[in-house]
Amino acid sequence: MLMRTDPFRELDRLAQQLTGVTGTWSRPSAMPMDAYREGEEYVIALDLPGVAKDAIDIDVERNMLTVRAERRPAAKADDVQMELSERPLGVFSRQLVLADTLDTEHITADYEAGVLTLRIPIAERAKPRKIAIGVEADHQQISG
C-alpha cells in the first residue's frame, strides 16, 4: 500500500551521519519511520524527538503524502558555552506515495513523546465484499 519515493535516502542518511551535515529546506534529512496495517487502516509512525508540534507540516496532494519538520536549536543565554552538540538540527522530510485504496480524505495525525502517528483508513471501495448471485427468474423479470 506504500511505496518509497527515493531509493538513495538511506545512503544520504548515512552520509549525513558521517559528515555531520544537517538537513536544509532544499535538502532535508530523512526521518525514521514504521508503517504497518492495523485492522482497517494503515499506520505510519515517524520519529521526531525534540521537534515542536508547530514545526511539523503534513500535506497530502492526491496520493502523495509529505511530512516536513524542523528541529531548531534551543534558545540559550549569552553566557552558555556549548561543550558537546550531537543532536541533529535542521529540516527533516519524508514523502510517501499512497495507494489508491487508501482514503486520503480522512487521515488523522497525533503527536506524542516525539512520535508523529498518522492513521489512514482503507477506502470502502477497496474492502472485500460479497456479491450476491441473482435468481434466474429475477433476471428474466428485469430484462423482460
Side-chain angles (χ1 to χ4, degrees):
M1 292 282 185
L2 303 173
M3 291 180 11
R4 291 181 185 256
T5 58
D6 186 358
F8 299 104
R9 186 168 293 273
E10 284 302 309
L11 291 174
D12 288 343
R13 184 187 61 75
L14 182 61
Q16 287 172 350
Q17 282 181 335
L18 294 173
T19 62
V21 176
T22 59
T24 64
W25 283 105
S26 61
R27 188 142 181 95
S29 298
M31 61 183 80
M33 74 169 221
D34 291 334
Y36 53 93
R37 183 173 177 164
E38 185 177 271
E40 297 297 318
E41 62 188 7
Y42 267 86
V43 180
I44 300 170
L46 300 135
D47 283 349
L48 294 170
V51 174
K53 186 176 181 179
D54 64 347
I56 301 171
D57 185 43
I58 307 165
D59 290 315
V60 65
E61 184 176 338
R62 296 177 18 132
N63 63 340
M64 178 68 73
L65 175 73
T66 304
V67 178
R68 292 177 89 83
E70 183 177 11
R71 182 180 304 139
R72 301 174 182 115
K76 295 177 183 61
D78 292 336
D79 62 344
V80 172
Q81 182 178 345
M82 184 62 82
E83 296 292 331
L84 180 65
S85 180
E86 293 182 344
R87 296 172 51 215
L89 301 173
V91 180
F92 302 87
S93 178
R94 195 73 185 237
Q95 282 192 314
L96 299 168
V97 176
L98 304 176
D100 292 335
T101 56
L102 297 177
D103 184 357
T104 59
E105 298 292 322
H106 295 96
I107 297 174
T108 61
D110 293 306
Y111 186 59
E112 185 178 338
V115 178
L116 175 66
T117 304
L118 303 172
R119 295 185 174 276
I120 310 168
I122 295 173
E124 286 298 319
R125 68 181 180 279
K127 293 179 182 174
R129 61 191 178 281
K130 293 283 186 184
I131 307 297
I133 300 172
V135 179
E136 192 173 324
D138 291 338
H139 180 67
Q140 289 175 356
Q141 289 176 352
I142 293 172
S143 60

